């Protein structure tokens, strides 16, 4: 047993006065050292014995299972065997693309896609919320069409949306649908400046050399602007020729035809100063028509 450090238990037997008078200091120190090397015969400390008893009772209670839940150490959280899957298209803005269906999909196809994705990613809260919000957005769009056109069942007997068969529109209404509903002012200024500069360059080149380079640059820029707008507006199509490039090129060719006709009419019937050459005026008008096509058409 370890020696006790309690103050009353650390007392040692003192030397008698007679022995201290007769024994030299060196001899007295040797006897004191021998006394310290002897085994401790004092009683154990009561406080230490109490602590050891509590420790033994605690260990015995832990072995027998009688230890309370408050005395047990906290359990470590168990790791799940299967990792939670996160929906990969959780940040997709288009609800149809988020569910992985086309814009022409029926309500049954949208519902099936939603149910499948919900079962796959229901363990992740944000993924489940994103899938539900995509379905809600599609339903809101369908309800807007329903409130706008009313219930129009299809006459052909095919599966369709709540809008029913499309209504017949005249040429003016079809032309208005091809135009942009609104164009930002910076877009008009930036793109208009580019086409105006190309028109001035073409008119200047017509007087000295071949204006093919500036006219080709205007055609390429017009095709790119139409392609970029169609790709951003409807990434998944459907497109004519399965690509937005062909539709943009076809619209640019149509703009060249209309621009050539407008340029011919301008040169033929509109009076202009004698210092301006008809070829320069016609090329400038052609570039202006291409600019209008690239800015205001879808």
């Amino acid at each position: 047993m370890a020696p006790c450090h309690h103050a009353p238990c650390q007392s040692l037997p003192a030397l008698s006065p007679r022995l201290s008078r007769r024994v030299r200091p060196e001899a007295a120190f040797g006897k004191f050292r021998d006394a310290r090397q002897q085994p401790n015969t004092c009683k154990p400390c009561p406080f230490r014995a109490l602590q050891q008893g509590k420790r033994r009772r605690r260990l015995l209670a832990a072995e027998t299972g009688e230890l309370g839940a408050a005395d047990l150490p906290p359990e470590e959280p168990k790791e799940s065997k299967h990792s939670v899957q996160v929906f990969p298209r959780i940040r997709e803005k288009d609800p149809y693309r988020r569910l992985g269906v086309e814009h022409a999909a029926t309500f049954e196809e949208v519902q099936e896609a939603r149910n499948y994705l919900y079962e796959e990613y229901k363990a992740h809260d944000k993924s489940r919320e994103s899938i539900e919000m995509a379905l809600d957005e599609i339903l809101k769009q369908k309800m807007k069409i329903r409130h706008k056109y009313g219930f129009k069942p299809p006459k052909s007997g095919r599966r369709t949306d709540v809008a029913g068969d499309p209504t017949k529109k005249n040429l003016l209404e079809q032309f208005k649908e091809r135009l942009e509903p609104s164009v930002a002012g910076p877009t008009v200024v930036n793109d208009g400046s580019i086409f105006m500069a190309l028109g001035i360059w073409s008119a200047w080149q017509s007087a000295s050399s071949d204006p093919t380079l500036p006219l080709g640059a205007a055609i390429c820029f017009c095709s790119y602007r139409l392609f970029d707008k169609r790709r951003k507006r409807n990434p998944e199509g459907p497109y004519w020729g399965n690509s937005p490039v062909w539709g943009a090129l076809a619209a640019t060719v149509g703009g060249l035809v209309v621009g050539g006709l407008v340029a011919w009419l301008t040169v033929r019937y509109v009076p202009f100063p004698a210092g301006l050459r008809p070829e320069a005026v016609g090329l400038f008008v052609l570039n202006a028509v291409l600019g209008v096509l690239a800015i205001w058409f879808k």
Side-chain angles (χ1 to χ4, degrees):
M1 182 179 297
C4 181
H5 299 284
H6 200 263
C9 301
Q10 291 180 355
S11 59
L12 293 174
L15 297 176
S16 60
R18 184 179 179 182
L19 183 60
S20 60
R21 289 194 303 267
R22 295 183 181 181
V23 180
R24 292 179 299 177
E26 294 81 1
F29 179 75
K31 291 182 179 181
F32 175 76
R33 183 180 57 187
D34 294 341
R36 290 294 305 267
Q37 291 179 356
Q38 292 179 0
N40 189 14
T41 57
C42 63
K43 296 182 180 180
C45 178
F47 180 76
R48 186 177 182 85
L50 181 63
Q51 293 294 330
Q52 291 179 353
K54 288 184 177 180
R55 184 171 181 273
R56 284 195 296 268
R57 288 193 298 271
R58 184 180 179 86
L59 293 176
L60 182 60
E63 293 177 357
T64 56
E66 298 177 358
L67 197 62
D71 299 328
L72 294 175
E75 296 183 358
E76 297 181 358
K78 297 182 179 179
E79 298 182 357
S80 59
K81 297 181 179 179
H82 305 284
S83 59
V84 178
Q85 295 183 1
V86 181
F87 187 42
R89 298 188 298 273
I90 191 172
R91 300 185 181 276
E92 179 62 43
K93 295 182 179 180
D94 189 1
Y96 290 92
R97 293 190 64 185
R98 198 185 309 169
L99 295 181
V101 296
E102 299 179 354
H103 287 263
T106 61
F107 178 74
E108 290 80 6
E109 295 174 349
V110 173
Q111 187 71 19
E112 291 176 0
R114 176 263 173 196
N115 295 338
Y116 173 76
L117 295 175
Y118 186 88
E119 291 295 330
E120 287 289 327
Y121 303 101
K122 62 182 180 181
H124 191 250
D125 295 337
K126 292 185 177 180
S127 300
R128 185 174 64 251
E129 182 181 356
S130 176
I131 295 170
E132 291 291 346
M133 290 180 62
L135 180 62
D136 293 343
E137 292 177 7
I138 294 175
L139 291 178
K140 288 180 181 178
Q141 294 178 6
K142 301 295 184 183
M143 289 303 298
K144 286 181 180 180
I145 297 174
R146 180 69 175 270
H147 291 309
K148 184 177 181 180
Y149 299 103
F151 179 69
K152 296 181 180 180
K155 300 178 181 179
S156 58
R158 56 180 172 80
R159 297 173 67 185
T160 183
D161 289 328
V162 295
D165 292 327
T167 57
K168 295 182 180 181
K169 300 178 181 179
N170 53 24
L171 294 177
L172 181 60
E173 292 177 349
Q174 294 180 7
F175 179 77
K176 289 182 178 179
E177 287 186 352
R178 298 290 181 181
L179 297 177
E180 291 283 355
S182 62
V183 181
T187 303
V188 177
V189 173
N190 297 334
D191 293 353
S193 301
I194 294 174
F195 281 102
M196 184 178 293
L198 292 174
I200 296 174
W201 186 17
S202 300
W204 180 72
Q205 286 288 101
S206 65
S208 58
S209 60
D210 189 10
T212 304
L213 180 61
L215 183 59
I219 293 173
C220 293
F221 186 67
C222 179
S223 301
Y224 168 74
R225 290 296 297 151
L226 292 174
F227 162 76
D228 187 58
K229 289 194 294 184
R230 297 184 179 190
R231 179 177 57 86
K232 290 181 179 179
R233 181 181 296 107
N234 191 5
E236 294 186 354
Y239 302 116
W240 180 67
N242 296 327
S243 176
V245 176
W246 303 115
L249 291 176
T252 305
V253 172
L256 284 173
V257 174
V258 176
L261 180 61
V262 173
W264 179 77
L265 293 175
T266 303
V267 173
R268 183 73 179 271
Y269 296 103
V270 176
F272 49 87
L276 296 177
R277 297 183 59 185
E279 296 83 358
V281 175
L283 287 172
F284 184 83
V285 171
L286 181 58
N287 281 272
V289 172
L290 290 177
V292 171
L293 176 67
I295 295 172
W296 275 280
F297 273 72
K298 294 182 180 180

